[in-house]
Amino acid sequence: KNQVEQSPQSLIILEGKNCTLQCNYTVSPFSNLRWYKQDTGRGPVSLTIMTFSENTKSNGRYTATLDADTKQSSLHITASQLSDSASYICVVSPDESWGKLQFGAGTQVVVTP
Amino acid sequence: GAGVSQTPSNKVTEKGKYVELRCDPISGHTALYWYRQSLGQGPEFLIYFQGTGAADDSGLPNDRFFAVRPEGSVSTLKIQRTERGDSAVYLCASSPGTGGSAFFGQGTRLTVV
């Protein structure tokens, strides 16, 4: 069973609107959680990284939240743009070793004019 | 170069053939990771190098897969007797050390026919 579950699987939103993506994880112990953006045909690009002591982190129009008690994270996209169309992947690490990262399957976001 | 470079970007091979995929990490990055991504899925860990040695190769699916990094820089992922199930995008990432920020290449799309 995947230890990182993302929802929704896909999402279509109008340009200019906001949206929120969810990530639930069961990975334990927990070191940090990252959100990546992956454009079609490209490698993932890091948006945010949060440790268990952080509950929010922003990167421009992207804001990530983390509740380490309930093992939930969200990524909020404000005033979406067409260039936000991509897959957003939630990644959880049980320790500082990158090799043990657990990846979610991603949420495919499509922003329409 | 400024980023992680992977070659080739696309590779089509016949079932049973041998393939090599190359990764040029960011200069000075000691850690290098290989991941495999199937369509609609998040990346799956294969192997992680710290310097020249494989620190964790627990993600390699079987003995047909092998990776080297002889000089602690460029890495080659080698797949023997390819099978159709090996078709995927193979992603490489590098970072200055364990944890922290890592940067992905754009991947090599391998198709086994």
Side-chain angles (χ1 to χ4, degrees):
Chain A
K1 185 181 186 302
N2 197 350
Q3 297 184 62
V4 181
E5 299 285 347
Q6 291 188 241
S7 63
Q9 185 175 21
S10 61
L11 181 64
I12 301 174
I13 59 172
L14 290 175
E15 185 179 12
K17 298 296 186 181
N18 305 335
C19 69
T20 300
L21 316 179
Q22 299 291 340
C23 173
N24 297 337
Y25 63 93
T26 59
V27 177
S28 182
F30 168 80
S31 175
N32 58 72
L33 184 147
R34 312 160 196 242
W35 283 93
Y36 277 84
K37 177 186 179 187
Q38 186 173 25
D39 293 310
T40 301
R42 307 294 297 271
V45 174
S46 179
L47 293 176
T48 63
I49 176 171
M50 291 179 291
T51 64
F52 69 90
S53 61
E54 298 174 291
N55 56 24
T56 188
K57 184 72 69 77
S58 292
N59 178 357
R61 294 178 297 101
Y62 301 101
T63 300
T65 65
L66 172 65
D67 186 334
D69 292 330
T70 61
K71 301 190 179 198
Q72 295 180 326
S73 177
S74 66
L75 180 69
H76 186 76
I77 305 175
T78 303
S80 60
Q81 300 177 358
L82 296 178
S83 60
D84 293 331
S85 295
S87 178
Y88 292 83
I89 304 174
C90 175
V91 184
V92 180
S93 175
D95 57 39
E96 283 303 307
S97 168
W98 256 74
K100 299 188 188 301
L101 292 179
Q102 300 288 333
F103 283 77
T107 292
Q108 185 67 45
V109 173
V110 175
V111 181
T112 64
Chain B
V4 178
S5 175
Q6 291 187 246
T7 55
S9 55
N10 282 284
K11 176 70 176 179
V12 180
T13 190
E14 293 181 347
K15 179 175 177 295
K17 298 292 187 183
Y18 167 83
V19 295
E20 289 189 352
L21 312 180
R22 176 187 169 106
C23 173
D24 279 271
I26 293 173
S27 178
H29 280 192
T30 60
L32 184 147
Y33 317 84
W34 283 99
Y35 287 83
R36 177 170 69 175
Q37 187 173 26
S38 300
L39 190 63
Q41 301 294 318
E44 170 194 19
F45 169 73
L46 295 177
I47 186 170
Y48 148 57
F49 288 90
Q50 187 62 248
T52 60
D56 185 345
D57 64 358
S58 62
L60 295 177
N62 52 58
D63 61 6
R64 295 187 297 105
F65 288 75
F66 189 71
V68 295
R69 196 187 185 200
E71 297 178 359
S73 178
V74 172
S75 176
T76 304
L77 178 66
K78 308 180 180 190
I79 310 174
Q80 298 177 320
R81 305 183 303 280
T82 52
E83 300 177 356
R84 291 196 179 88
D86 298 335
S87 297
V89 174
Y90 289 80
L91 292 168
C92 175
S94 72
S95 75
T98 57
S101 297
F103 299 86
F104 281 85
Q106 65 185 35
T108 293
R109 182 176 297 279
L110 175 66
T111 304
V112 182
V113 297

